[in-house]
């Protein structure tokens, strides 16, 4: 038996021919961006280990920590983007609603992660400014 | 009979699940576009200010013969980079904002045309991002190859 929750909003929108025409290049380019992103992370790892050991051990450890965190974040973002591209394209091609929904959920995760990272980044910069002003006031 | 995977007879539609995913995606996309716009304005102001400030330093470097360009050439180069970069950046932000606004409008009013226009903006956003990513990897590759020889 199908149960319809009256609180659930219903949409009368379809993934029609025009929407499909837009979704195809979206998924193609999203896939390209994700794959190139993975290659870029790989190249960055290569460059890091080629240039990193030239600096002192303390600096290298600090740089390594930062590098690992930023690299992991980038990989997670590209995974979301790749999943969005693959699942949405598969959903559109095979008319599979579940696959399509899973793809769109990954687009949501992709934008949400970027948004949260932006909030964290801005908060850190704001904190640094506040501590900088406090430090300057305490010194002078 | 119930099926595990939904395969609609009438093709794909924006059901409750995908609709809520789209809504949340547009909410975050709009937030990203607005925040980046504010950061963009700040960055452009800072670059222009720094350019004015740095021109004195560059004047000294030109006088000493360290730089092969004049201060006017340096400033023209800096402003060209800021202008071109700014134009691309603003276009991308406008497209992301349009995707967020139109798709959300389409979902709220059940207007197919708005929803499709939103997707169209997302398409152009991804095309520009993709082209920039390809350029980025080419530059990154050249950098890595150069690092081998330095």
């Amino acid at each position: 038996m199908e149960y319809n929750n009256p609180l659930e909003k219903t949409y009368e929108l379809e993934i029609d021919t025009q929407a499909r025409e837009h979704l195809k290049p979206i998924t193609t380019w999203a896939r390209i961006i994700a794959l190139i992103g993975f290659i870029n992370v790989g190249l960055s790892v290569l460059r890091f280990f080629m240039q990193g050991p030239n600096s002192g051990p303390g600096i290298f450890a600090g740089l390594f920590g930062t590098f690992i965190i930023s690299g992991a974040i980038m990989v997670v973002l590209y995974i979301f983007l790749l999943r969005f591209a693959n699942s949405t394209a598969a959903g559109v091609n095979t008319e599979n609603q579940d696959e399509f929904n899973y793809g769109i959920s990954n687009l949501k995760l992709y934008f949400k992660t970027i948004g949260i990272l932006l909030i964290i980044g801005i908060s850190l910069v704001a904190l640094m400014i506040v501590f900088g002003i406090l430090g300057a006031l305490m010194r002078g | 009979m119930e099926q595990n995977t939904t395969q609609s007879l009438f093709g794909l539609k924006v059901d409750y699940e995908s609709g809520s995913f789209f809504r949340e995606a547009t909410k975050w996309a709009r937030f990203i576009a607005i925040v980046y716009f504010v950061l963009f304005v700040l960055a452009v102001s800072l670059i222009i200010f720094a350019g004015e400030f740095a021109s004195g330093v560059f004047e000294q470097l030109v006088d000493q013969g360290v730089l092969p360009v004049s201060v006017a050439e340096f400033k023209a180069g800096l402003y060209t980079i800021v202008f071109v970069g700014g134009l691309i950046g603003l276009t991308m932000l406008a497209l992301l904002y349009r995707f967020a606004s139109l798709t959300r409008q389409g979902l709220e009013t059940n207007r197919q045309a708005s929803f499709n226009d939103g997707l169209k903006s997302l398409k152009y956003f991804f095309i520009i991002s993709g082209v920039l990513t390809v350029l980025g990897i080419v530059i990154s590759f050249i950098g890595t190859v150069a690092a081998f020889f330095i």
Side-chain angles (χ1 to χ4, degrees):
Chain A
M1 197 181 115
E2 206 171 304
Y3 172 70
N4 288 320
N5 185 349
L7 295 172
E8 283 187 357
K9 185 169 169 50
T10 53
Y11 301 100
E12 289 161 24
L13 299 170
E14 290 174 349
I15 304 301
D16 61 1
T17 324
Q18 214 181 355
R20 277 162 208 263
E21 277 174 15
H22 297 318
L23 279 169
K24 276 187 183 165
I26 288 172
T27 53
T28 306
W29 280 102
R31 193 176 292 136
I32 291 170
I33 293 166
L35 293 175
I36 291 178
F38 286 127
I39 295 169
N40 213 1
V41 171
L43 280 175
S44 302
V45 171
L46 202 69
R47 246 190 324 213
F48 181 81
F49 283 106
M50 275 176 2
Q51 294 171 344
N54 295 338
S55 55
I59 297 169
F60 182 73
L63 285 174
F64 184 71
T66 314
F67 183 78
I68 287 291
I69 293 167
S70 56
I73 290 168
M74 292 314 287
V75 167
V76 168
L77 273 176
Y78 292 132
I79 287 171
F80 287 148
L81 197 59
L82 192 64
R83 277 190 194 160
F84 156 67
N86 289 341
S87 295
T88 308
V92 169
N93 289 335
T94 59
E95 303 270 317
N96 187 323
Q97 187 75 48
D98 288 341
E99 193 76 33
F100 176 76
N101 290 1
Y102 181 67
I104 301 304
S105 76
N106 278 284
L107 178 71
K108 176 201 82 176
L109 285 172
Y110 176 71
F111 282 132
K112 193 175 181 176
T113 311
I114 296 173
I116 291 169
L117 288 172
L118 263 177
I119 294 171
I120 293 170
I122 291 168
S123 307
L124 286 176
V125 172
L127 268 177
M128 274 173 12
I129 291 169
V130 169
F131 280 121
I133 291 169
L134 281 175
L137 284 174
M138 282 168 84
R139 259 186 278 141
Chain B
M1 202 182 102
E2 262 189 15
Q3 279 182 305
N4 281 336
T5 53
T6 319
Q7 201 144 13
S8 170
L9 282 172
F10 309 103
L12 288 175
K13 56 183 186 289
V14 180
D15 60 1
Y16 175 74
E17 200 181 12
S18 56
S20 54
F21 291 147
F22 266 121
R23 281 175 78 91
E24 206 163 335
T26 56
K27 187 183 84 181
W28 283 103
R30 183 183 290 187
F31 171 76
I32 293 164
I34 292 169
V35 171
Y36 266 117
F37 181 76
V38 173
L39 292 177
F40 174 83
V41 171
L42 284 173
V44 169
S45 314
L46 202 71
I47 288 167
I48 291 170
F49 173 74
E52 291 296 329
F53 179 75
S55 62
V57 179
F58 273 89
E59 250 170 60
Q60 285 180 342
L61 291 172
V62 170
D63 288 342
Q64 288 164 7
V66 178
L67 283 176
V69 291
S70 66
V71 176
E73 282 172 337
F74 161 73
K75 278 175 112 175
L78 182 76
Y79 289 141
T80 308
I81 291 166
V82 171
F83 181 74
V84 174
L87 207 66
I88 296 168
L90 274 181
T91 308
M92 287 183 70
L93 290 180
L95 287 169
L96 192 63
Y97 189 80
R98 258 178 71 87
F99 155 68
S101 300
L102 292 172
T103 309
R104 199 174 178 89
Q105 194 184 65
L107 289 166
E108 278 169 4
T109 58
N110 278 324
R111 274 187 60 202
Q112 187 73 45
S114 290
F115 180 76
N116 289 353
D117 283 343
L119 288 181
K120 190 178 173 183
S121 294
L122 186 68
K123 176 180 79 177
Y124 291 129
F125 172 80
F126 270 112
I127 290 173
I128 297 173
S129 302
V131 171
L132 290 176
T133 308
V134 172
L135 285 174
I137 191 74
V138 171
I139 293 165
S140 182
F141 182 73
I142 292 167
T144 308
V145 171
F148 265 112
F149 299 103
I150 295 169

